[in-house]
Amino acid sequence: MFPETSPASGYNERKTQRQFMGQVLAASAASRIEIVHDVGSLRARLAQWRRAGETIGLVPTMGALHAGHISLVREAKRHATRTMMSIFVNPTQFAPSEDFGAYPRSLEADAAKFASAEGDLVFAPAIGEIYPPGFATLLSIGGPATAGLEDRFRPAHFPGVATIVAKLLNQCRPDIAIFGEKDYQQLKVVTRMARDLDFETKIIGVPTVREADGLALSSRNVYLSAKERAVAPSLFAALRRCVHDINDGVIIETALAAARKTVAAAGFVTDYIEARHAESLAPVTSREEWPVRLLAAATLGKTRLIDNIAV
Ligand code: AMP
């Protein structure tokens, strides 16, 4: 129904099976994947794999895994013989007013989901392992990181993201690292940073996984009340309508204004709904400045949703 992927049924089937088999699966998951908490053990295991000629795929996450994360694991497995996932709720990418404390944490359930997707290793460091006392470095980033989208509303976010991703790339030295298009500006920021700092890791983007009604899967969707959950898909619906209008010849700014109006009428407080060049994230005014991407962020109740779509 949607141009992108929806939650794979295989994953949902496995999830259901796991609910029935509870203990047994938890035990087999625990025995099949390795969870390491410190950089020393991580590097030792990865070095062993490399000596054996294995290639390594990294899927960085903050946990609370859903089918979107699992699609990243599947993509990693297509490119590398070993797949590892980092699970770390990174404090430096949250502003003090944001949900760092409340962010859902579920390491055991996440490890079981990752095992079901046949991942190999989870790296779940404590905060002190990543940011030891005296830590004093934060990357300064430009280009897509200062495009005036997320950065306008969350100025500390991308320096925190770039710093943790750079650390993970150094710690893991993976052949490939997978990121979701769901966080489109983040994907561009990480790609730019990896190129600028000469990381050898290839950065690969994966399309957004959605619910059947179009809502992009997100760990933060659990914050939505039942009433808000019913309204939430209207953000993506407005973006789809906007793409349709632009491709029908409606002037971009006119189509965007209509989308902003629809989203506000649905009850969102909109941060931005914008059309940008899909690579540079520079503003565009015409369909001819192809490829174009629409990007949006809007808050429903207390939950901030972001989404994007190709034109
Ligand atoms: P997070 O745990 O939210 O930091 O996300 C970890 C990775 O999963 C990021 O690269 C996200 O872009 C990606 N991701 C999150 N939601 C989705 C989704 N619905 N579809 C595909 N990838 C996603």
Side-chain angles (χ1 to χ4, degrees), residues 224-225 227-235 238 258-271 273 297-305:
L224 294 167
S225 69
K227 221 165 142 189
E228 290 163 351
R229 173 64 189 82
V231 171
S234 54
L235 179 63
R260 289 180 194 123
K261 212 169 145 188
T262 309
V263 167
F268 286 88
V269 176
T270 303
D271 283 349
I273 298 181
T299 300
L300 192 56
K302 290 194 169 81
T303 311
R304 188 168 181 278
L305 303 178

Side-chain angles (χ1 to χ4, degrees), residues 90 92-93 131 138-139 141 156-167 179 186 189-190 193:
N90 176 38
T92 62
Q93 69 189 67
Y131 300 115
L138 203 59
L139 287 187
I141 45 179
H157 181 63
F158 287 127
V161 168
T163 302
I164 186 65
V165 173
K167 283 175 68 74
F179 293 84
Q186 169 176 280
V189 168
V190 167
M193 182 275 293

Side-chain angles (χ1 to χ4, degrees), residues 60-63 66 68-69 72 103 179-180 182-183 186 207-209 217:
T61 79
M62 298 202 298
H66 51 62
H69 298 111
L72 270 50
Y103 198 86
F179 293 84
K182 160 74 170 43
D183 300 280
Q186 169 176 280
T208 302
V209 177
L217 298 195

